[in-house]
Amino acid sequence: MRWMKTAESETAPAIHDRHRSPRLRSALMMAFFIGVGVTQAARAELSEIHVAQQYGIGYLPLMIMEEQKLIEKHAKATGIDVSIGWAKFAGGNVMNDALLSNSLQFASGGVGPFLTLWARTRGNLDVKAISAINSMPLFLNTRNPAVKTIRDFRETDKIALPAVKVSIQAITLQMAAEKAFGEGQQNKLDPLTVTLSHPDAQAALLSGASEITAHFGSPPFQYQQLKNPAVHTVLNSYDVLGGPATFNVVWTTSKFKNDNPKLYDAFVKALDEATTLINRDRRSAAETYLRISRDKDSVQEIEAMLNDPAIVYTTTPQNVMKYVDFMLKIGAIKSKPDSWKDLFFPNAHNLPGS
């Protein structure tokens, strides 16, 4: 008959509580559905995320996070099992596209690509930085003996960098060009720039047979190049910025952070732990870098780079606002943050950033 119900058609609370008072049944049902809601909320966080990094010792904290499965460890402590997909990109511009398409959850790279996406997504995805990763000087090296300063570059020179007009190297070169050639001349050297990954740029520069005569790179590549007596440094980013500055940051969307608070927190804790490990034992960190990157340098050479006082692994943003002010002035970004804290999620706000 249509009015009859089987036990299978009833909910668990209905089976056990059909003879109880209406008030008690109501309370039990409420508790049941609250429990279901909590369970569903716990399951709402992603079970798989993707993290991207680039090439060089600037990304050593992320390498350690990958090898030691630190994100998984801290996520597990909150009851979440997550698998991590790691990818390597040549530049932050490509990462930004992946982040916008939701095929990537954490992007890492220079301040330039991050600021570009921060400004572009204000009021919608609201991309912000989670943390700085380091402060490191960037060298513009050349094998052209006639080039002593950036004013000496000619049309026959080609400068390799991770992403034309967008990478932190490209923005820093524009800042240097404005200082060298005058107001409004920030794009003076842009026609000479070529987009190449650091390994490809280094190979081209050192070959002596490529059109690439200069490389605006990063550690360890810039130091490796200087072992060749034909290569010399034309420009140091710290000179352009007037002091030490953040090289790399890591960023994500506000939507991801809001939808996955435990995974976000696990990432922050994993990055903090990796940074502590590097600063506690530079030799072990050098060995880890060589093991993962398969770089041909010796442990002693990488350790010497890590011990350079100019190279600092820190989550504190440094001189980021100098890039902001310049990119605003030339129209590369349209939005102005009130302070560096507008660029970062709250977990970084207690740091002495700039």
Side-chain angles (χ1 to χ4, degrees), residues 111-112 114-116 118-119 122 168 171-172 175 241 245-246 317-344 354:
V111 173
F114 159 64
L115 290 176
T116 299
W118 170 83
R122 290 196 79 183
I168 189 171
I171 300 299
T172 305
M175 295 171 77
L241 273 292
T246 293
Q318 193 169 19
N319 268 331
V320 171
M321 290 302 290
K322 289 190 177 181
Y323 282 105
V324 170
D325 292 341
F326 177 76
M327 293 176 72
L328 276 167
K329 184 173 72 171
I330 67 172
I333 60 175
K334 307 297 183 184
S335 299
K336 181 179 182 179
D338 291 331
S339 76
W340 69 269
K341 292 183 179 181
D342 291 342
L343 304 169
F344 286 76
S354 61

Side-chain angles (χ1 to χ4, degrees), residues 44-100:
E45 300 210 14
L46 294 176
S47 60
E48 180 180 4
I49 60 174
H50 295 86
V51 185
Q53 55 186 290
Q54 298 183 48
Y55 298 92
I57 63 174
Y59 299 91
L60 181 53
L62 298 180
M63 293 179 178
I64 292 173
M65 288 163 64
E66 178 182 5
E67 184 181 60
Q68 298 193 18
K69 298 186 180 299
L70 297 183
I71 301 174
E72 294 92 326
K73 182 184 84 170
H74 288 287
K76 184 73 172 178
T78 67
I80 295 178
D81 291 314
V82 62
S83 61
I84 315 293
W86 291 87
K88 263 201 168 63
F89 287 76
N93 57 328
V94 185
M95 287 195 198
N96 282 345
D97 291 338
L99 197 68
L100 291 176

Side-chain angles (χ1 to χ4, degrees), residues 117-173:
L117 196 60
W118 170 83
R120 180 181 170 188
T121 60
R122 290 196 79 183
N124 43 75
L125 288 177
D126 283 323
V127 167
K128 290 187 178 183
I130 301 158
S131 174
I133 302 177
N134 54 59
S135 289
M136 293 186 180
L138 310 176
F139 295 171
L140 173 56
N141 291 338
T142 183
R143 60 178 167 83
N144 184 345
V147 177
K148 307 301 182 185
T149 73
I150 63 170
R151 296 181 65 88
D152 299 325
F153 280 114
R154 297 293 178 260
E155 293 179 359
T156 52
D157 289 298
K158 292 298 178 186
I159 305 169
L161 39 74
V164 170
K165 287 186 175 293
V166 177
S167 65
I168 189 171
Q169 288 87 350
I171 300 299
T172 305
L173 185 60

Side-chain angles (χ1 to χ4, degrees), residues 219-285:
F221 307 103
Q222 60 197 29
Y223 299 110
Q224 294 167 345
Q225 293 161 14
L226 291 172
K227 295 177 188 175
N228 187 321
V231 176
H232 65 277
T233 299
V234 178
L235 191 71
N236 181 325
S237 64
Y238 280 11
D239 293 334
V240 179
L241 273 292
T246 293
F247 169 31
N248 299 127
V249 295
V250 60
W251 61 94
T252 189
T253 64
S254 291
K255 176 174 171 48
F256 172 82
K257 177 183 179 296
N258 295 337
D259 290 349
N260 302 272
K262 292 183 179 179
L263 287 177
Y264 178 90
D265 186 58
F267 185 95
V268 172
K269 289 178 177 176
L271 180 58
D272 286 342
E273 182 175 351
T275 302
T276 298
L277 290 173
I278 294 170
N279 290 325
R280 181 185 299 158
D281 190 341
R282 294 297 176 100
R283 185 173 185 84
S284 177

